[in-house]
Amino acid sequence: MLLVVGLDGASYELCNRWMDEGYLPNLTHIRGRGAWMPLQSTIPAVSPVAWSTFMTGTNPGEHGVFGFFVPERPGPYEPPTRFRPISSYDCHGKRFWEQMNEAGLSTGIVGVPVTYPVRAVNGHMVAGLLAPMLEAPGTTYPAALAAEITAQVGPYRIVPRGVYVPGGEEAFLDEVHRSLELRRNLASYLLERHRCDVHLFVLYETDLVQHKMWQFMDEDHPRYNASKNRWHDAIRDVYVHADAIVGELMEELGSGDTLVVMSDHGAGPLYGTLHLNKWLREQGYLAYKTGWRQKLAWAASKWKIVQLSARISRQLGVNQRVTLRPGQRRTLASGFLRADDLDWAATRAYNMGYQGAIYTVGERHAETTQKLTEHLTEIRDLARDCRVVETVHTPAELYAGRLVDYAPSIILSLKKQAYNVSQKVFAPALFTLGADSGTHRRQGLLGVIGTGTKAIANTGEFHIQGMARLLLEIAEV
Ligand SMILES: [Zn+2]
């Protein structure tokens, strides 16, 4: 049996620190007895891109997932008709578990982002981030598994419920641990009742808690407040909880079995959000229509509704708002950028990514890309007195494959990866510090213990694109 545990966003650096301090005995066991190394993520290091690369073993130019949202358009450089969250249909190429199924192995895949709607597998599947909710059609394979999970395991969540609001730390953390506990119960139920040759469980809580709680443990963070030391160890506590789950899974290993622990990217402090669409509008690249709906958006921004809603949508991973109509969900999902709010006759570029992914539009797109490349590096965070855009990448530099033309024309690397980018056109300032205090870093982790360790021994570092090949090798496919 091959067991794979994905700890979304788990940091190699934080793990090592807390292992050295004695908090993570099970991961420490893997480090001591197996293989343990940093895992480099994709550019951008966001979950949909990283997990799509993980599951297909190909780069974004081949699988076609470049971020959380996809602009629907007739072709590259054409104005989009709408923006929508990414789904499994957008990720092209064979998943490694499909190759395992073809070789006769059964697979149980739980919690992987971008697997909704699920496809049939030899075994079972529960979709992860970007699935609406467990009970929604397309979230589990077989379909009846959803009701079975609810009856046998409890109210399993795709992502923790509710919203983190400053002051609500206790309720937020209770829910994070409750959600983790349900994942642990689901894992043990599936291993007992639906055992497969290969199991993969992704725990999303490690990522979520870092986004929200970083400010409480990092004295250098602009929001650090020594009087709130009660939450100082909130992130560590979630790692400890995840480590206990890893330990339970490790107990399942028999001779010839392997356990792999990995993360899709790492984490670090967030110093600000750059409202890139606001900048593009101010620089004349993006034009907003001036109808009543758009005026309403202006007014709403004054009341901070826009910021709040965008924060909610980000918090929820763009789902869960099942009470909203699809159109409303999409608006929330894209952080209040709607394709039909933009004046496409006058728009030459727009951003559609949390780490900076600019799409250029129109016949003169190459010229626009060139101009932007020169000007983007001039953006300054005046509060911290620094330039924010570290590198302006072209897709040709980063990606290769048959879908590379659908990539954003410009992909940004922001200073020390400590900034996010929003979709908002009407933010109150070019930079703001929202509810999030942590964000992603490119360095995740990889640990292997058991028979499969020999497949990776003596490697100093690994890239997430090699994971599919590695797992196939361990499974002897
Ligand atoms: Zn992630």
Side-chain angles (χ1 to χ4, degrees):
M1 186 172 59
L2 167 60
L3 287 176
V4 184
V5 190
L7 307 175
D8 201 299
S11 149
Y12 182 70
E13 206 183 320
L14 288 181
C15 268
N16 280 328
R17 186 203 300 173
W18 291 329
M19 286 180 338
D20 293 344
E21 293 173 2
Y23 288 103
L24 309 172
N26 298 300
L27 291 172
T28 308
H29 181 80
I30 296 172
R31 184 172 67 171
R33 303 280 180 83
W36 180 258
M37 65 198 71
L39 181 75
Q40 285 305 315
S41 187
T42 46
I43 300 177
V46 295
S47 297
V49 183
W51 286 110
S52 297
T53 297
F54 164 81
M55 67 176 99
T56 60
T58 62
N59 83 96
E62 200 61 49
H63 61 62
V65 174
F66 300 102
F68 272 95
F69 305 101
V70 59
E72 274 189 2
R73 52 201 164 144
Y77 316 113
E78 304 245 14
T81 48
R82 63 172 186 141
F83 305 117
R84 58 168 176 78
I86 216 95
S87 82
S88 62
Y89 298 125
D90 299 304
C91 178
H92 299 263
K94 199 170 271 184
R95 283 64 165 151
F96 66 79
W97 54 79
E98 292 171 344
Q99 280 172 267
M100 289 170 173
N101 292 165
E102 283 167 14
L105 297 176
S106 58
T107 54
I109 310 296
V110 176
V112 183
V114 205
T115 51
Y116 168 82
V118 294
R119 300 187 199 173
V121 280
N122 171 11
H124 57 262
M125 185 177 264
V126 180
L129 186 69
L130 297 175
M133 59 195 293
L134 184 67
E135 297 78 8
T139 303
T140 65
Y141 180 86
L145 182 61
E148 184 183 333
I149 290 170
T150 305
Q152 303 295 326
V153 179
Y156 177 83
R157 290 95 150 107
I158 302 295
V159 296
R161 292 174 181 169
V163 179
Y164 166 69
V165 282
E169 288 79 16
E170 187 159 7
F172 169 74
L173 292 169
D174 281 352
E175 171 58 18
V176 164
H177 285 283
R178 170 101 183 104
S179 178
L180 255 182
E181 206 49 27
L182 284 159
R183 290 196 208 279
R184 169 194 232 153
N185 296 341
L186 177 60
S188 77
Y189 177 76
L190 292 173
L191 280 166
E192 197 188 315
R193 307 296 289 272
H194 298 282
R195 190 174 279 255
C196 293
D197 299 310
V198 179
H199 283 272
L200 164 56
F201 302 102
V202 175
L203 313 180
Y204 169 63
E205 289 71 13
T206 31
D207 185 60
L208 180 64
V209 75
Q210 294 176 132
H211 278 293
K212 310 301 171 190
M213 298 288 115
W214 198 278
Q215 57 182 312
F216 298 109
M217 74 169 185
D218 179 0
E219 290 177 23
D220 295 328
H221 195 274
R223 277 245 209 69
Y224 182 77
N225 180 345
S227 68
K228 287 199 174 166
N229 264 345
R230 189 178 162 199
W231 312 116
H232 185 276
D233 300 325
I235 297 175
R236 195 186 71 198
D237 291 345
V238 171
Y239 274 61
V240 168
H241 196 161
D243 179 78
I245 297 174
V246 169
E248 275 186 18
L249 294 172
M250 208 149 54
E251 282 172 22
E252 299 281 335
L253 296 181
S255 71
D257 294 344
T258 304
L259 173 71
V260 172
V261 182
M262 47 81 59
S263 63
D264 57 327
H265 52 79
L270 173 69
Y271 290 141
T273 297
L274 163 62
H275 301 294
L276 196 50
N277 281 328
K278 182 185 171 74
W279 184 86
L280 287 169
R281 181 172 173 274
E282 285 167 2
Q283 302 291 318
Y285 290 98
L286 182 150
Y288 210 69
K289 284 183 195 162
T290 48
W292 64 269
R293 233 190 59 76
Q294 290 77 21
K295 284 193 177 120
L296 221 69
W298 266 106
S301 73
K302 287 186 191 155
W303 297 98
K304 299 209 170 192
I305 292 170
V306 173
Q307 293 95 303
L308 181 70
S309 306
R311 200 165 76 200
I312 291 169
S313 69
R314 179 130 32 116
Q315 163 99 41
L316 293 180
V318 194
N319 43 45
Q320 292 242 337
R321 299 296 299 248
V322 283
T323 49
L324 293 176
R325 282 182 282 117
Q328 292 173 311
R329 242 182 76 188
R330 275 195 299 275
T331 309
L332 264 180
S334 56
F336 276 78
L337 185 67
R338 281 171 54 108
D340 42 2
D341 287 342
L342 298 184
D343 175 358
W344 291 106
T347 293
R348 290 177 292 148
Y350 61 93
N351 169 63
M352 192 33 67
Y354 289 138
Q355 296 197 353
I358 297 175
Y359 292 83
T360 53
V361 191
E363 275 173 26
R364 296 166 72 185
H365 65 87
E367 194 185 314
T368 307
T369 301
Q370 183 56 40
K371 270 195 188 148
L372 274 168
T373 304
E374 287 161 21
H375 291 135
L376 281 161
T377 50
E378 290 163 10
I379 299 178
R380 295 186 77 86
D381 179 355
L382 296 174
R384 300 184 76 84
D385 192 29
C386 62
R387 284 178 192 254
V388 165
V389 176
E390 213 161 61
T391 319
V392 180
H393 303 280
T394 63
E397 261 169 73
L398 300 178
Y399 313 135
R402 65 208 161 86
L403 295 170
V404 76
D405 286 345
Y406 287 87
S409 313
I410 290 173
I411 300 116
L412 301 181
S413 278
L414 300 172
K415 191 179 170 71
K416 294 181 177 165
Q417 301 168 54
Y419 287 84
N420 274 353
V421 170
S422 88
Q423 261 74 252
K424 278 176 258 173
V425 181
F426 300 111
L430 189 54
F431 287 90
T432 55
L433 189 55
D436 280 17
S437 51
T439 187
H440 299 178
R441 294 294 184 274
R442 222 156 276 148
Q443 185 176 265
L445 60 87
L446 173 62
V448 185
I449 191 160
T451 312
T453 310
K454 60 179 186 295
I456 196 170
N458 305 323
T459 311
E461 185 187 275
F462 211 76
H463 192 279
I464 194 163
Q465 202 179 318
M467 284 302 299
R469 188 62 252 152
L470 174 70
L471 296 175
L472 287 165
E473 199 178 320
I474 293 174
E476 293 174 1
V477 173

